[in-house]
Amino acid sequence: MIRKFALLICLIAISTTAYGQFDDPDIRKVDYSERAQFEQKFANINWTGQGLYNPTTIDRLPTVELRSRLQAVYGDPTQTIKDLINNNFRPGKAIQFEYWFIIDGEIPLMILDLDGPFENGLVYVGASRYIDMMPQVKRTLTRKLMNEYGELADFSDFFFSPEREQWYRVEYKNGEFSHEMINRPANFN
């Protein structure tokens, strides 16, 4: 009788642990106003892309479409090139957008666009000590962007291509994507 009870307790513990491993993580976007808190909280994190680069559907989509899908699900990026431009801008720091997240209230994740509207996929970085959780985080993110919502939302960003030494306005508007060459925006010092 005691053995059966102990076995039952072990099976419950195993099934509870297994269930916990496959729960969808809670993915909360960090707003622009929360950047300093995020950077302070995660100042000592060792960042890595490990665990995030198993190919999924979103890695094969044009970056400009992913930007639109992120806009639909999470709203405006945590920061764009416009936020970096007046803060010791260097062409090597040229991004179009960055989304920062906190997973399950404790795990940092950043999604970056380094190549603007000319490539597919995004760059993902997370805390190295949580690499075992990153595949599930990416699967959940993929499902949210592709299945649950599947919507495209209007947006307008700027991008600077260091290779081309050219500024672009990148948009999704009225059901169409565009990236047009422009002069450096006047409000970018």
Side-chain angles (χ1 to χ4, degrees):
M1 177 79 157
I2 293 176
R3 284 187 189 168
K4 288 181 182 180
F5 182 72
L7 180 62
L8 179 63
I9 296 297
C10 286
L11 289 174
I12 290 171
I14 289 170
S15 67
T16 303
T17 302
Y19 176 75
Q21 290 174 356
F22 295 105
D23 286 346
D24 280 348
D26 175 48
I27 302 174
R28 185 183 74 76
K29 187 196 82 167
V30 175
D31 290 325
Y32 174 84
S33 63
E34 300 172 305
R35 293 178 309 160
Q37 294 164 325
F38 180 92
E39 288 176 325
Q40 182 179 4
K41 181 176 181 176
F42 300 113
N44 297 321
I45 290 294
N46 292 322
W47 295 96
T48 183
Q50 200 171 10
L52 290 162
Y53 285 100
N54 294 330
T56 64
T57 304
I58 60 177
D59 296 313
R60 293 182 287 277
L61 293 178
T63 302
V64 69
E65 180 181 334
L66 291 172
R67 170 66 178 86
S68 180
R69 289 175 181 276
L70 283 160
Q71 182 74 36
V73 177
Y74 294 106
D76 293 335
T78 304
Q79 68 182 14
T80 64
I81 195 168
K82 184 176 181 180
D83 302 313
L84 300 175
I85 197 72
N86 296 324
N87 189 13
N88 298 322
F89 175 73
R90 294 185 317 264
K93 283 181 76 175
I95 54 110
Q96 182 181 323
F97 61 87
E98 297 179 1
Y99 279 85
W100 301 0
F101 299 96
I102 298 177
I103 312 301
D104 292 337
E106 64 180 307
I107 303 167
L109 173 71
M110 291 186 184
I111 299 176
L112 316 165
D113 170 37
L114 301 178
D115 295 319
F118 306 109
E119 297 295 331
N120 292 339
L122 298 165
V123 174
Y124 306 87
V125 291
S128 61
R129 67 178 175 222
Y130 296 107
I131 60 172
D132 60 322
M133 294 181 65
M134 291 302 135
Q136 179 62 21
V137 169
K138 190 170 179 188
R139 283 190 295 272
T140 300
L141 183 66
T142 298
R143 189 171 49 257
K144 286 183 180 228
L145 296 180
M146 299 304 297
N147 299 336
E148 287 183 24
Y149 301 95
E151 297 174 12
L152 300 178
D154 289 354
F155 74 89
S156 181
D157 287 336
F158 295 103
F159 176 68
F160 177 73
S161 171
E163 298 81 15
R164 297 173 178 92
E165 295 186 14
Q166 179 63 56
W167 283 92
Y168 296 86
R169 181 184 324 273
V170 182
E171 294 182 318
Y172 179 71
K173 194 172 185 180
N174 299 323
E176 294 193 20
F177 293 104
S178 67
H179 57 276
E180 68 174 293
M181 288 190 278
I182 60 170
N183 292 326
R184 182 180 180 130
N187 58 341
F188 288 10
N189 297 331

